[in-house]
Amino acid sequence: MIPGPFSYHRPATVADAVNLLSTLGDEARPLAGGHSLVPMMKLRLATPEHLVDLHGVAGLKGIRRDGNTVVIGAMTTQHELLASDEIAKSLPILRETALLIADPQVRYRGTIGGNVANGDPGNDMPALMMTLGASYRLEGPKGVRDVAATDFYQGAYFTALEPGELLTSISVPAPAAGHGYAYEKLKRKVGDYATAAAAVMLTMSGGKVATCAIGLTNLSETPLLADAAAKLVVGSSLDAATLKTAAAAAVAIMAPAADARGPVEYRKHVGGIMVIRALQRAATKAA
């Protein structure tokens, strides 16, 4: 339970952090909240020679509105998301989801950038960011680029980040006024990863669904966007038959692993239930 030896670095700027990561190469790891990396180091499953602590980089923190976009610094903690008036007003689903992540102690330290960047299929924010149409700002030795959340995840713990690159901020289009939202998460106990979870963003017009997006958490090796299921509910009043058909379409793209949370068929079954619950609850919130 004691990490191996490593050199500690605390850069003050994004440029310094990128320079360290690119110069030190594969033996360097960025440190955000540390909830994934530090336990792995204690178990000697990760043995980086260099830790680049990002807590001193002021440019990675903060929440601001930029026109119709909400920009969130990568080192913004889950607790800061919960305390933000801008998030509560513009992106209430982000607040709802953050409340379901682990426990208060973890949320005080855990960052949104760490949650979305490490490619863990069990993390809650990645599927939500795909549902929201978010994009990630990546800064590295070759410059700055923006990557859509839908293009970022390539496999379990494999992402579009290139060597030396750092995810510095997240840009989320502000949803339409009067939208409905819900994040439904089934977990074994407080603080656990989801057995299955679903995010829904929708708008209603004349009692029928006008637009819809559905994201799925921990139901494959990457977060999923259930496009076919979302298209099925557009134009409907979310009647029982449509909900059942949409859930079946979502289940069809699920490929969870059998683990301590249950066998594959169980996890797919409850995944479908999370989709139905999220659709129903989102509709009740839509103006």
Side-chain angles (χ1 to χ4, degrees):
M1 296 298 289
I2 299 174
F6 59 87
S7 297
Y8 175 81
H9 308 267
R10 190 177 174 91
T13 67
V14 172
D16 289 342
V18 167
N19 182 60
L20 281 167
L21 290 170
S22 58
T23 301
L24 298 172
D26 293 340
E27 297 306 321
R29 295 286 298 274
L31 177 66
H35 292 300
S36 297
L37 179 58
V38 172
M40 295 284 281
M41 291 175 64
K42 286 184 175 181
L43 294 171
R44 301 292 180 104
L45 296 175
T47 55
E49 293 181 8
H50 301 272
L51 276 190
V52 180
D53 188 345
L54 302 177
H55 285 84
V57 184
L60 293 177
K61 300 175 183 178
I63 301 165
R64 61 184 174 87
R65 183 71 177 254
D66 184 7
N68 291 324
T69 301
V70 179
V71 181
I72 307 169
M75 288 297 289
T76 302
T77 66
Q78 307 295 343
H79 175 74
E80 288 166 338
L81 291 176
L82 294 172
S84 168
D85 292 337
E86 183 61 54
I87 295 298
K89 178 177 68 175
S90 301
L91 292 166
I93 192 172
L94 198 52
R95 187 179 191 280
E96 180 174 295
T97 304
L99 276 171
L100 295 174
I101 293 175
D103 51 46
Q105 292 92 332
V106 168
R107 294 194 290 266
Y108 271 107
R109 187 73 175 176
T111 65
I112 189 169
N115 196 283
V116 303
N118 75 339
D120 187 337
N123 285 348
D124 293 285
M125 289 295 179
L128 176 58
M129 292 303 157
M130 291 169 59
T131 308
L132 290 167
S135 65
Y136 302 152
R137 172 66 55 92
L138 310 181
E139 300 191 34
K142 297 179 181 178
V144 179
R145 63 191 181 111
D146 294 307
V147 176
T150 50
D151 298 327
F152 186 75
Y153 301 100
Q154 301 172 354
Y157 301 100
F158 286 93
T159 70
L161 277 169
E162 294 182 354
E165 276 192 326
L166 193 64
L167 190 152
T168 57
S169 66
I170 300 162
S171 294
V172 185
H179 71 278
Y181 63 90
Y183 188 72
E184 286 288 336
K185 178 178 181 178
L186 177 67
K187 52 186 179 180
R188 297 173 299 175
K189 59 182 177 62
V190 172
D192 195 15
Y193 286 114
T195 299
V200 166
M201 294 285 291
L202 56 73
T203 58
M204 303 287 289
S205 178
K208 296 185 182 298
V209 178
T211 63
C212 182
I214 303 171
L216 305 173
T217 294
N218 216 12
L219 289 163
S220 183
E221 66 173 8
T222 64
L224 299 173
L225 204 56
D227 287 328
K231 290 177 181 176
L232 284 168
V233 303
V234 172
S236 79
S237 59
L238 293 178
D239 56 277
T242 299
L243 288 169
K244 183 177 180 180
T245 303
V251 168
I253 67 169
M254 297 175 189
D259 59 18
R261 294 172 183 84
V264 169
E265 288 308 312
Y266 168 73
R267 295 188 65 189
K268 291 170 70 172
H269 173 71
V270 295
I273 293 173
M274 293 303 104
V275 169
I276 291 173
R277 289 182 181 177
L279 284 165
Q280 290 175 320
R281 191 158 62 84
T284 66
K285 294 184 177 183

